[in-house]
Amino acid sequence: MSSKICAVIDYGMGNLHSAHGALQTVAPDTNVLVTSDPETILRADHVVLPGVGAIRDCMAEIRAQGIDQVVAEVRKSKPLLGICVGLQAMMERSEENGGVGCLGLFPGEVKFFGKDLHENGEHLKVPHMGWNQVQQVAHPLWSGIADNSRFYFVHSYYVSPGDESQLKGRGHYGVDFAAAMGEDNVFAVQFHPEKSHNAGLALLRNFLAWGGQS
Amino acid sequence: MALAKRIIPCLDVDKGRVVKGVNFVGIRDAGDPVEIAKRYNDQGADEITFLDITASHEGRETTVHMVEAIAEQVFIPLTVGGGIRELDDIRRMLNAGADKVSINSAAVYNPEFVKKASDRFGAQCIVVAIDAKQVDDHWEIFTHGGRKPTGINAVEWAVKMEEYGAGEILLTSMDRDGVKSGFDLGVTRAISDAVNIPVIASGGVGNLDHLVDGVKEGRADAVLAASIFHFGEYTVQEAKQHMAAAGIEMRLD
């Protein structure tokens, strides 16, 4: 019996050691591959779209390497997980870098937290960096994870959902933002599950056990 | 729902081994960085910082492999500082699995380096380390482990580093008496109020109340400590419980 394949899409934006290590740790029998090869990605059972850095650079690489078309294909059938800028890339557009058009898997925009963010009289630092709570909206990927568990975030831009029914995790930092979005076989998170200790590992385990039904 | 304050244990490494005696009960080999990182991870550390004190170039390669090994097994953010002088040093550490690098002297000697690093790798992974001491009525940047004054005003420097693209400030301060008497809360608060990026307070932690003071009085977003955790005086979990009991938002799960 051949083992299942999980493809972590490598489009040249940052290190994927941690994502690879975390996925491999939660599913030792799955063959976790870090790859940019479209054929390998399309052959995989599960696909992860990570991302770090500026959205302009991420989208430029995604388009230059044809990853946009690969993702469009993956989106039709198999479980797809977006992480951090991977989630932001799935929205319609981002206001970072003067405005960047994204993949449009989800309606909605990516916005700047701003330099003047306050809560209860306290000035909030940007980037939103550290462990914050996520209020869950029922979804198989939250299975076994306590509601309001903390995950590790680091971002200066946040997702504002265009369709509230796709909001699968609520975050709050001065403003309400989407900590997780989902529709059919696609799930995407703003935090880094691969850096979020037990809660993050549980979510990755759930993803690799997921058939893509919401 | 609120963002938690962070506790960050810090380890000195030389040629890929943890030095300066980390002494946990139950660890077979006290210098094994993977085992120590796992231990802190299990205790609930929010991040781990490694300070690379390796002198030789060859030894640094070993540190890169150490980071690789830890990143494969410890799933919280990792920062590496010490000896980060060129873009290539950053690239190697990030490729090995570090999430952030901390730039210290190189920023003082060549501030443009911070700008270049931030443009290239993103502000989220660039920590600028500042060693500050009080001189008369203000705080100054010191280099060479706090021995060499630079004449640079620490608060102004922190603001400049934010402008240059630092994503976070690691502020090491000690009050004039020196060791284990807590953070210099004056400079911690002055810098935390002056910048819009997170500030990690470090230096001189001798007890758990110092950590509380760093957040409450110093307004730090995170606290970094070494020796109070290394010798089993306190676990990270005890420190977090203590801070939570003082009314600070912490990750306890």
Side-chain angles (χ1 to χ4, degrees):
Chain A
M1 194 184 89
S2 66
S3 64
K4 286 197 168 184
I5 295 173
C6 171
V8 180
I9 303 180
D10 179 10
Y11 51 98
M13 293 298 292
N15 97 73
L16 300 171
H17 271 282
S18 306
H20 175 268
L23 288 158
Q24 197 66 80
T25 296
V26 298
D29 296 333
T30 296
N31 191 5
V32 181
L33 303 170
V34 174
T35 179
S36 58
D37 175 46
E39 271 183 42
T40 307
I41 297 166
L42 293 172
R43 219 177 55 230
D45 301 282
H46 292 83
V47 177
V48 177
L49 181 70
V52 293
I55 191 74
R56 176 195 55 209
D57 299 343
C58 280
M59 285 311 303
E61 287 302 321
I62 284 172
R63 294 212 167 92
Q65 299 186 34
I67 298 299
D68 48 347
Q69 284 159 37
V70 176
V71 168
E73 201 56 39
V74 169
R75 196 254 173 281
K76 291 178 193 163
S77 53
K78 46 187 118 226
L80 170 64
L81 177 68
I83 297 176
C84 194
V85 180
L87 158 66
Q88 299 187 359
M90 290 177 177
M91 306 308 292
E92 280 175 304
R93 66 181 298 284
S94 170
E95 66 179 32
E96 191 179 0
N97 303 127
V100 174
C102 301
L103 296 171
L105 269 60
F106 298 115
E109 264 197 276
V110 185
K111 299 176 178 170
F112 186 39
F113 275 119
K115 292 263 177 196
D116 198 26
L117 203 61
H118 286 84
E119 188 111 292
N120 303 326
E122 192 191 346
H123 179 214
L124 300 181
K125 307 289 181 74
V126 176
H128 172 224
M129 184 187 283
W131 300 80
N132 208 338
Q133 291 172 295
V134 176
Q135 196 184 7
Q136 301 169 4
V137 176
H139 191 281
L141 262 66
W142 297 123
S143 170
I145 304 171
D147 194 14
N148 296 316
S149 288
R150 290 182 185 274
F151 293 87
Y152 187 81
F153 291 85
V154 49
H155 59 126
S156 298
Y157 291 79
Y158 68 93
V159 166
S160 171
D163 179 349
E164 284 285 320
S165 75
Q166 294 173 333
L167 184 63
K168 300 301 172 194
R170 299 172 205 275
H172 184 83
Y173 189 64
V175 295
D176 291 328
F177 68 88
M181 298 284 289
E183 174 85 27
D184 304 330
N185 52 311
V186 185
F187 196 83
V189 292
Q190 180 61 66
F191 51 83
H192 286 273
E194 78 281 14
K195 288 287 161 186
S196 296
H197 200 210
N198 292 339
L201 294 179
L203 185 124
L204 293 177
R205 194 177 294 116
N206 291 340
F207 171 66
L208 291 177
W210 186 43
Q213 301 80 29
S214 47
Chain B
M1 289 203 286
L3 183 63
K5 302 298 178 186
R6 291 168 278 154
I7 291 193
I8 308 174
C10 178
L11 297 161
D12 285 1
V13 298
D14 185 9
K15 302 185 198 74
R17 304 282 297 165
V18 172
V19 292
K20 256 202 194 167
V22 172
N23 194 1
F24 285 136
V25 178
I27 283 195
R28 285 181 302 268
D29 172 358
D32 180 357
V34 177
E35 221 173 321
I36 292 167
K38 274 185 172 171
R39 179 65 61 99
Y40 282 133
N41 181 45
D42 293 344
Q43 290 181 3
D46 296 307
E47 300 186 19
I48 300 178
T49 288
F50 297 92
L51 184 63
D52 188 4
I53 59 169
T54 309
S56 68
H57 181 72
E58 298 73 36
R60 294 194 159 270
E61 278 307 309
T62 323
T63 303
V64 171
H65 295 312
M66 177 204 84
V67 173
E68 266 171 18
I70 293 170
E72 289 280 342
Q73 297 184 49
V74 176
F75 304 110
I76 56 175
L78 306 174
T79 302
V80 182
I84 303 288
R85 294 186 187 89
E86 293 169 28
L87 292 179
D88 204 47
D89 297 329
I90 301 177
R91 187 188 55 77
R92 281 190 310 157
M93 286 305 174
L94 297 180
N95 281 349
D99 298 282
K100 312 178 204 177
V101 294
S102 166
I103 304 173
N104 192 346
S105 324
V108 176
Y109 299 127
N110 179 16
E112 290 293 322
F113 175 55
V114 172
K115 206 179 258 183
K116 280 187 193 149
S118 183
D119 281 348
R120 173 73 184 80
F121 301 104
Q124 82 287 343
C125 67
I126 304 299
V127 182
V128 170
I130 295 178
D131 292 350
K133 263 198 224 175
Q134 186 160 3
V135 177
D136 303 325
D137 63 342
H138 67 286
W139 296 277
E140 252 181 50
I141 305 275
F142 279 69
T143 58
H144 297 80
R147 295 191 303 276
K148 202 172 155 190
T150 63
I152 301 170
N153 180 300
V155 180
E156 289 168 13
W157 180 252
V159 171
K160 178 169 169 178
M161 287 298 98
E162 179 183 7
E163 282 165 16
Y164 275 47
E168 205 170 15
I169 298 283
L170 168 56
L171 172 66
T172 301
S173 67
M174 273 178 214
D175 75 10
R176 281 162 295 182
D177 301 328
V179 292
K180 290 224 163 190
S181 49
F183 307 117
D184 182 326
L185 299 173
V187 69
T188 305
R189 183 166 189 148
I191 289 182
S192 195
D193 285 350
V195 298
N196 189 46
I197 50 178
V199 173
I200 305 164
S202 153
V205 174
N207 63 51
L208 300 183
D209 285 329
H210 290 156
L211 301 176
V212 172
D213 294 342
V215 171
K216 286 197 148 177
E217 307 293 324
R219 294 196 188 167
D221 301 281
V223 287
L224 179 142
S227 53
I228 61 160
F229 299 133
H230 294 343
F231 301 102
E233 231 175 300
Y234 305 103
T235 65
V236 175
Q237 192 54 227
E238 282 165 353
K240 295 180 96 168
Q241 297 286 356
H242 186 83
M243 292 173 77
I248 297 171
E249 189 85 23
M250 301 300 295
R251 173 179 71 106
L252 296 170
D253 46 32

